[in-house]
Amino acid sequence: MMSRFSRAAALLVLLWPLSAPAQHATVTWSGRISDSGTLRSIERVSIRAFGPDTIMTQTNANGRFELRLRPDTDYTVELRSVGFAPRRERVAVTTGTNDIVHELRLDRVAFSLDQVVVTAARREQRLADAVPSIEVIGRADIERSGSSDLASVLTEQSGIVLQGGHPAGAGAMLQGIGSERVLVLLDGQPMTGRLSGVFDISRIPVSVVERVEVMKGPQSTLYGTEAMGGVINIITRRPSTTHDWDASIVTTAGTQARRDLSGALSHARNGLSAALNVGHRSTDMTPGRESPDGALAARTDLALSLRAELDSTRSIDASVLLLDERQRWRTGTFYNFGDNRQYSGRVRGSWQTGNHRFTPTISTSQYNHVSRASLLSQPIAGDTGQRQVQRVYQAELLYNARFGANGLQALDIGTQVRRDETQTARVTGGARSLTVLEPFVQMELAIGSLALAPGVRVSSSDLWGENVTTRLASRWRVNEQLTVRASAGEGFRAPDFKELFMFFQNTSAGYAVYGNPDLQPETSRNITLGTEWVGNRQFARAQFFINRFRDFIETRPITQPGEAPVFAYGNVDRGYTRGLELETGISMRGIRAEASYSGLSTRDDATGMPLLGRPAHSVRTTLNTLLPLTVRLSATGLYTGRMPMTRDDSTGLISSYRDAFARLDLRIARTLTWAGQPIARGLELVIGVDNAFDRRPAEWAGFTGRQLYTTLSWNLQPTFRP
């Protein structure tokens, strides 16, 4: 007879399999996810496997992942990453399978609405949420251009025309409004350094740039003077937030004695991060000068960025950019020299409490320009030349708030105090200063699918008085894919030191130019209508604009015929620019193609003729695709139509035109491998040619001949950030 205890033990043994938790064998599903167009690994891809249960993970810095799945089960795996089209995979797991290894690729979306922008509202927001229209040139676009300076990058963009500066340089024109009326910002803060009104954007190295945000049309409500034609906001690269350290080095050699070298190093740990970029660029060409005879441009740059996350609500960051530039070009028998040094720095704090954010910023920018001339290819020893020093100091306080249901309403308030200083022999007294106080406010009001953003700014100066600018922008989301935007606003540009106080006498040419202290700010009014349709793999955009300007400042003769000519600045010009911009693109199976068209019509009311230096038509096409042997091809075709350049002084009729210019830029890139394995992580070779057919139209700003180059880059942490 079994004891009572023995019977209970036996029953427990029999029942144990029924009560014990079920144990299931698993199969490892692993692999790597990469960009179908570049084959670069994509980190932080969200992966979800839907089956009897839901399993989630994400890729690491090398794009690798691993999931444990049940056998004899079908799963649907969903892959999602910002900037890429989502993908679904069906995975059938059978008994006896040990592991499943997949190499998966994602297509970049044709137009990413999730990328973050800061220029449209003076705060971070998704591109899809921006009320006014804004365009973004991302880091991937910059790298595909093969350019070493910002001017070369903007050359390949739709609706941006480069203008030659005086005596050298390359400025950017937007919507037919000249570069002297386009504001250039560095991380949202003003940069000084204009010569004859033009800021030379070729001075900016792309090695320090993360992205460029472009807003066309007057932005004076948020950014004050000089923003009449638009804003180009250069966002510098920041320390890596996904690695303790990150490093890269890029070297380029090409025709016209092009030699570029840049290196970057960043480190982040325990809320502290730092990034350092150092570079040197040289070439036998001068920006904005057509002839390479005797030309030279050599630039050295250093950028440093620091950031401290004090806690979840407070942070402070600081950055500095140093540029040293040497230029040389030839006019007749003389060599001309331009030595430029620029410094820009800022310190910014941020404090978030609930839905309220306070951002104080202090920034400064200084530009030191020395011009000299000589019969020799080197400056004369002891020649100090003509010196011009420009400085700008700005203190700014921003307040941003979200309120209402789901935080759909926003309020942006700011106050800026700016002081400009100049030292040059060409202004009366040799030195002048100007202080401006500018409060502004903008709201975002959401009413269903409609958002309105009214704004106003008051600018007050001790020299030219007060000016008020207003704008009303709207955004209507018809559905998830279709958005309509419209805005009506005012712009203004205050007279600069040269226009107010200049005294210049050219005895050899027999003329003189005087400033006018009674000048008033230039003004403009703008209407912009635009629409965009964005799918996962296609997009299309259209925008119509009209700018009506008045009181533009130009020189005018103040002497009678037969007397030695004397000119003075005055508020004399008025007219309009209007145009249409169209853009479309598609991205699928590793192929990305885009095309755009810009049409422009202008008028000078005084003559009834078109404004000078504006092309009526321009076209851009781009193609990026993957070729055999994992070679990546980028091709860009550009066409800029004929434009009027001079007019007859007596009749006002156009007397000369600049020829149309068509160019093709090609670039191939490949990760270096040996026996199918990378030689080193992130080691890449690029070979490119700009203006492949060597078209050389006359009178173009800058050298237009064929340029060949090769680039070797090494990224020690080869990750892709869309």
Side-chain angles (χ1 to χ4, degrees), residues 392-403:
V392 58
Y393 307 94
Q394 180 168 290
E396 174 184 83
L397 177 61
L398 294 178
Y399 166 72
N400 308 108
R402 310 289 303 189
F403 56 93

Side-chain angles (χ1 to χ4, degrees), residues 372-493:
R372 292 174 287 182
S374 171
L375 290 172
L376 305 175
S377 59
Q378 296 295 328
I380 300 172
D383 182 9
T384 58
Q386 295 184 352
R387 182 177 298 273
Q388 179 177 339
V389 180
Q390 304 170 25
R391 302 183 185 92
V392 58
Y393 307 94
Q394 180 168 290
E396 174 184 83
L397 177 61
L398 294 178
Y399 166 72
N400 308 108
R402 310 289 303 189
F403 56 93
N406 301 318
L408 295 180
Q409 323 298 331
L411 177 64
D412 307 302
I413 302 177
T415 299
Q416 296 175 342
V417 179
R418 171 171 166 164
R419 180 177 176 84
D420 288 271
E421 299 177 351
T422 187
Q423 292 177 259
T424 174
R426 292 191 175 186
V427 301
T428 306
R432 288 283 179 170
S433 63
L434 168 70
T435 301
V436 181
L437 174 65
E438 298 181 290
F440 64 89
V441 60
Q442 176 175 279
M443 297 185 68
E444 285 188 15
L445 306 174
I447 308 171
S449 60
L450 178 66
L452 300 175
V456 61
R457 185 186 195 99
V458 179
S459 302
S460 178
S461 163
D462 55 347
L463 290 181
W464 44 261
E466 293 185 352
N467 193 84
V468 179
T469 52
T470 60
R471 183 180 68 178
L472 175 62
S474 63
R475 183 200 66 226
W476 176 34
R477 283 207 182 106
V478 182
N479 53 46
E480 291 186 359
Q481 294 180 315
L482 182 62
T483 302
V484 178
R485 288 182 169 88
S487 67
E490 300 172 307
F492 89 102
R493 185 184 76 92

Side-chain angles (χ1 to χ4, degrees), residues 311-621:
D311 54 38
S312 60
T313 64
R314 297 177 301 161
S315 66
I316 185 170
D317 61 274
S319 64
V320 62
L321 174 64
L322 303 176
L323 301 170
D324 184 271
E325 180 179 53
R326 299 290 181 268
Q327 295 180 345
R328 183 184 68 201
W329 64 95
R330 196 168 182 175
T331 53
T333 59
F334 281 89
Y335 286 91
N336 299 273
F337 307 92
D339 297 338
N340 307 310
R341 290 183 178 177
Q342 181 148 21
Y343 157 83
S344 294
R346 67 171 177 86
V347 178
R348 173 181 296 162
S350 178
W351 176 42
Q352 179 87 31
T353 172
N355 292 329
H356 308 273
R357 178 181 292 274
F358 299 88
T359 309
T361 305
I362 298 176
S363 66
T364 181
S365 181
Q366 177 173 309
Y367 181 70
N368 192 320
H369 168 73
V370 178
S371 61
R372 292 174 287 182
S374 171
L375 290 172
L376 305 175
S377 59
Q378 296 295 328
I380 300 172
D383 182 9
T384 58
Q386 295 184 352
R387 182 177 298 273
Q388 179 177 339
V389 180
Q390 304 170 25
R391 302 183 185 92
V392 58
Y393 307 94
Q394 180 168 290
E396 174 184 83
L397 177 61
L398 294 178
Y399 166 72
N400 308 108
R402 310 289 303 189
F403 56 93
N406 301 318
L408 295 180
Q409 323 298 331
L411 177 64
D412 307 302
I413 302 177
T415 299
Q416 296 175 342
V417 179
R418 171 171 166 164
R419 180 177 176 84
D420 288 271
E421 299 177 351
T422 187
Q423 292 177 259
T424 174
R426 292 191 175 186
V427 301
T428 306
R432 288 283 179 170
S433 63
L434 168 70
T435 301
V436 181
L437 174 65
E438 298 181 290
F440 64 89
V441 60
Q442 176 175 279
M443 297 185 68
E444 285 188 15
L445 306 174
I447 308 171
S449 60
L450 178 66
L452 300 175
V456 61
R457 185 186 195 99
V458 179
S459 302
S460 178
S461 163
D462 55 347
L463 290 181
W464 44 261
E466 293 185 352
N467 193 84
V468 179
T469 52
T470 60
R471 183 180 68 178
L472 175 62
S474 63
R475 183 200 66 226
W476 176 34
R477 283 207 182 106
V478 182
N479 53 46
E480 291 186 359
Q481 294 180 315
L482 182 62
T483 302
V484 178
R485 288 182 169 88
S487 67
E490 300 172 307
F492 89 102
R493 185 184 76 92
D496 60 25
F497 292 111
K498 168 177 62 69
E499 295 161 343
L500 289 168
F501 307 115
M502 184 178 197
F503 172 72
F504 174 69
Q505 189 169 10
N506 190 328
T507 54
S508 60
Y511 72 91
V513 181
Y514 288 88
N516 181 357
D518 296 324
L519 291 173
Q520 296 299 308
E522 304 173 338
T523 60
S524 70
R525 293 182 178 180
N526 167 275
I527 294 177
T528 299
L529 301 173
T531 183
E532 63 185 33
W533 178 88
V534 178
N536 282 334
R537 302 184 185 278
Q538 306 91 19
F539 80 92
R541 304 174 70 189
Q543 182 169 273
F544 168 80
F545 63 86
I546 180 168
N547 295 289
R548 185 76 192 182
F549 62 85
R550 61 180 301 168
D551 295 332
F552 268 22
I553 299 171
E554 300 289 348
T555 56
R556 57 181 178 177
I558 59 175
T559 52
Q560 299 298 319
E563 299 178 352
V566 177
F567 299 88
Y569 287 98
N571 296 105
V572 294
D573 276 3
R574 61 177 59 192
Y576 68 76
T577 70
R578 62 188 180 192
L580 177 67
E581 296 183 356
L582 305 174
E583 187 176 9
T584 186
I586 185 170
S587 177
M588 60 187 305
R589 298 181 181 178
I591 299 175
R592 182 181 178 90
E594 295 182 5
S596 65
Y597 165 79
S598 297
L600 180 66
S601 173
T602 67
R603 175 187 168 93
D604 179 351
D605 285 350
T607 63
M609 302 299 293
L611 299 177
L612 301 179
R614 276 80 170 170
H617 308 282
S618 59
V619 178
R620 176 184 67 100
T621 60

Side-chain angles (χ1 to χ4, degrees), residues 49-55 68-71 73-77 89-93:
F50 301 97
D53 50 6
T54 300
I55 307 171
R68 307 288 293 183
L69 307 180
R70 295 185 186 184
T73 306
D74 288 348
Y75 285 87
T76 298
V77 179
E89 285 285 318
R90 184 177 177 275
V91 180
V93 184

Side-chain angles (χ1 to χ4, degrees), residues 38-56:
T38 66
L39 301 185
R40 294 183 181 180
S41 301
I42 311 174
E43 63 177 324
R44 291 200 270 189
V45 178
S46 173
I47 305 172
R48 292 190 178 190
F50 301 97
D53 50 6
T54 300
I55 307 171
M56 296 181 293

